[in-house]
């Protein structure tokens, strides 16, 4: 069976538009995930027991339940509970963001705990409080160590964003589905979608490799 190259060429603009939406979802979700993850990861190792327990509950719940179920809850169930209308776009970035935040929290926690305890003691001996020592001494060192696993998480998030197609959000995967429903060219379209995802994930991998080199991560 020969591929219909004309179908690939004519469908490419629509697929690239979907890819841009996928990138937008991924970037916004990463921003949310980094903010939530950094806060949760830091709280996870704090001395305040209540905050530690709250962070553990959040992390375990988000990591222990499927992203698809979380997406359905935010988009379908939450409006019924609150009476608020939630758009597919907000549901997509919020769900992907807080889901990724749980994994990022554990990445940051592991990175922080990998720093020798003597660094904290040295900071405190210089008159810095716990927050200042974390900000000025611990986090800069931990950040270098968490870049590789963060890159893996961002790649996973990019691919997982395809799940938002189930709520009708027209990102790359959904665009592919709509084109196939109209043209029946499943082989050509899914191959094109796969290649576009591959290009995006390889781009992230290259950026991560660049950052590793820049910060001289060993």
């Amino acid at each position: 069976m020969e591929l219909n190259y004309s179908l690939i060429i004519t469908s490419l603009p629509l697929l690239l538009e979907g890819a841009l939406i996928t990138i937008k979802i991924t970037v916004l979700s990463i921003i949310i995930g980094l903010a939530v993850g950094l806060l949760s990861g830091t709280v996870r190792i704090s001395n305040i027991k209540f905050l530690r327990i709250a962070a553990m509950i959040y992390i375990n719940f988000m990591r222990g339940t499927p992203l698809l179920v979380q997406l359905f809850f935010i988009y379908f169930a939450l409006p019924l509970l609150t009476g608020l209308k939630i758009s597919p776009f907000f549901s997509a970035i919020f769900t992907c963001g807080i889901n990724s935040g749980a994994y990022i929290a554990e990445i940051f926690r592991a990175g922080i705990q990998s720093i020798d305890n003597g660094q904290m003691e040295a900071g405190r001996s210089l008159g810095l409080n716990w927050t200042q020592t974390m900000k000025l001494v611990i986090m800069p060192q931990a950040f270098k160590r968490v870049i590789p696993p963060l890159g893996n998480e961002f790649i996973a998030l990019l691919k997982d964003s395809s799940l938002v197609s189930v709520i009708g959000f027209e990102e790359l995967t959904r665009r592919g589905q709509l084109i196939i429903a109209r043209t029946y060219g499943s082989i050509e379209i899914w191959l094109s979608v796969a290649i576009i995802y591959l290009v995006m994930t390889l781009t992230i991998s290259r950026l991560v490799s660049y950052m590793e080199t820049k910060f001289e991560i060993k």
Side-chain angles (χ1 to χ4, degrees):
M1 180 178 178
E2 294 184 359
L3 293 177
N4 186 347
Y5 292 103
S6 62
L7 174 60
I8 295 175
I9 294 172
T10 56
S11 301
L12 194 58
L14 288 174
L15 293 177
L16 291 178
E17 286 180 7
L20 289 176
I21 296 173
T22 294
I23 292 172
K24 185 176 181 180
I25 293 173
T26 303
V27 170
L28 293 175
S29 298
I30 286 173
I31 293 173
I32 295 173
L34 284 172
V36 174
L38 180 58
L39 177 61
S40 300
T42 304
V43 168
R44 178 80 166 75
I45 59 174
S46 71
N47 296 323
I48 305 175
K49 184 176 181 180
F50 169 75
L51 293 179
R52 286 204 315 273
I53 294 174
M56 289 176 61
I57 292 174
Y58 156 71
I59 292 170
N60 289 332
F61 179 82
M62 299 307 295
R63 295 180 69 193
T65 55
L67 175 60
L68 186 60
V69 173
Q70 297 166 14
L71 185 63
F72 281 154
F73 179 83
I74 296 297
Y75 185 65
F76 293 111
L78 197 58
L80 296 177
L81 296 174
T82 63
L84 299 175
K85 184 178 180 180
I86 301 177
S87 68
F89 180 72
F90 176 82
S91 300
I93 62 171
F94 181 75
T95 307
C96 291
I98 61 174
N99 177 274
S100 180
Y103 292 92
I104 292 175
E106 287 297 277
I107 291 173
F108 275 121
R109 178 193 62 78
I112 292 170
Q113 291 184 329
S114 71
I115 305 301
D116 188 85
N117 290 332
Q119 297 290 315
M120 175 63 74
E121 296 173 0
R124 299 302 295 272
S125 67
L126 293 174
L128 302 176
N129 59 33
W130 188 88
T131 302
Q132 291 173 326
T133 304
M134 286 293 297
K135 179 181 178 180
L136 301 175
V137 180
I138 305 298
M139 291 306 299
Q141 299 179 68
F143 176 74
K144 296 180 180 181
R145 299 187 181 185
V146 302
I147 288 178
L150 279 179
N152 292 333
E153 173 56 27
F154 296 159
I155 290 174
L157 178 59
L158 174 69
K159 293 185 291 185
D160 287 345
S161 67
S162 63
L163 291 174
V164 305
S165 62
V166 299
I167 60 174
F169 198 76
E170 291 191 23
E171 42 66 73
L172 177 56
T173 300
R174 182 60 176 170
R175 285 289 176 91
Q177 291 174 333
L178 293 175
I179 294 172
I180 291 171
R182 186 177 71 252
T183 65
Y184 302 102
S186 58
I187 296 177
E188 291 85 354
I189 300 304
W190 286 131
L191 179 61
S192 301
V193 169
I195 291 174
I196 293 173
Y197 271 114
L198 180 61
V199 170
M200 291 190 292
T201 56
L202 288 177
T203 300
I204 295 176
S205 296
R206 294 302 301 168
L207 289 173
V208 172
S209 297
Y210 169 76
M211 293 187 68
E212 289 182 23
T213 302
K214 181 178 179 180
F215 289 104
E216 297 182 354
I217 299 172
K218 298 179 180 180

